[in-house]
Amino acid sequence: MESSAVVGNDFLIQYRNISSKLKKRFLRKPNVAEASEEFGQLARDLSEGEAWAQAGLCCVAVARCEQSLANPTTEVAALTQAARYFLKAENVNHHLHCPSFNEHLMTAISCFQHAIQLYTDQKKPALAAALAVELGQALRSLGRPSEALTYLRMATDLHDASPPHYLTCLGYIASCKIELGDLHGALMTFTQMTEKVEQSAGGRLLTGAYKDILARCEISSLLILLTLQPLHHNTKPPHAQLLEKYSWKSPDLQKLHVECEAPGLVVLLPSLVLACQSRDTSALATLSQHLTPLLGPEHLHLLHILVAEINRS
């Protein structure tokens, strides 16, 4: 079958023909397994022609067939595939700026939610969390960070017993809060991540991913603290200790975790703290130029917010 042939009216005709096999007839049971296979094949043909929404509908039909056959594994796989097809349809509309009621997105969310619930019922929290993260990240890519937070928090709860995955989800949450302009919320999340890393390390020397996560948290927290400029009596002990650690008064280079990001940060960040505390906008501008090639996109965004805030105050 040519992929271009299964669109429009041809799709409806084939969909109805397959659906008719599910109707009960006198002395004949509907062949649900055959209908499921044909819906699946139609979905594959439609996806080859990039008819994402129609392919998603066929996958939903597959999921219903598998539910009636009591095949939860195949059912959740079909629901997940349907959600991804509907997301692709939504992405096409989003990139083309097509007016819509976000119907493809709403259907994708519904499919994801159903799949997550099925995995939860099957006692497979890791798989449920993976889908929650996938949905949350998809919503972020569509410019919906506030909606993404709901599913990223869900993933965090599901990954509570796995520190690396738990920290990854918290990192996504922190990024969402930065995108929303909630710097205080992001700071609290980075603090929570730092505490989790230290708890997981159990006093041992940090290496690998944990060291990278702690470096990210320190840089982000430092930039946010310099932007928010909390009063001394309102500064929490961990935040006061972080500011003191990066102060030129007594910089303890052995305790800084940013060397794994870039060696130059060990010198530049204490200088940044001094420039912000002294309101030296000229030094701040120079430091920003030196820091730019050493920082990632998120840290650069926080640095730009910091410079704008200092110049405005």
Side-chain angles (χ1 to χ4, degrees), residues 202-273:
R204 297 186 299 272
L205 182 66
L206 289 172
T207 58
Y210 282 147
K211 191 173 183 180
D212 293 339
I213 291 171
L214 195 57
R216 176 199 174 189
C217 291
E218 278 203 357
I219 296 172
S220 299
S221 298
L222 183 66
L223 293 171
I224 292 173
L225 283 167
L226 294 174
T227 302
L228 296 178
Q229 304 169 38
L231 297 175
H232 182 72
H233 63 277
N234 288 333
T235 305
K236 294 188 176 182
H239 301 154
Q241 292 168 10
L242 180 63
L243 288 171
E244 179 65 25
K245 185 192 294 188
Y246 284 88
S247 169
W248 272 110
K249 294 179 181 177
S250 55
D252 189 346
L253 300 183
Q254 299 300 318
K255 293 183 179 180
L256 303 186
H257 296 285
V258 299
E259 65 268 23
C260 59
E261 291 281 324
L265 292 177
V266 175
V267 175
L268 291 173
L269 288 177
S271 300
L272 181 69
V273 173

Side-chain angles (χ1 to χ4, degrees), residues 36 50 93 98 102 125 128 151 165 177 189 194-195 207 237 260 262 269 290 306-307:
S36 177
E50 298 187 358
N93 286 349
C98 292
N102 300 314
Y151 300 99
H165 295 102
K177 291 183 176 180
T189 305
T194 300
E195 292 172 351
T207 58
C260 59
L269 288 177
H290 290 295
L306 169 60
V307 172

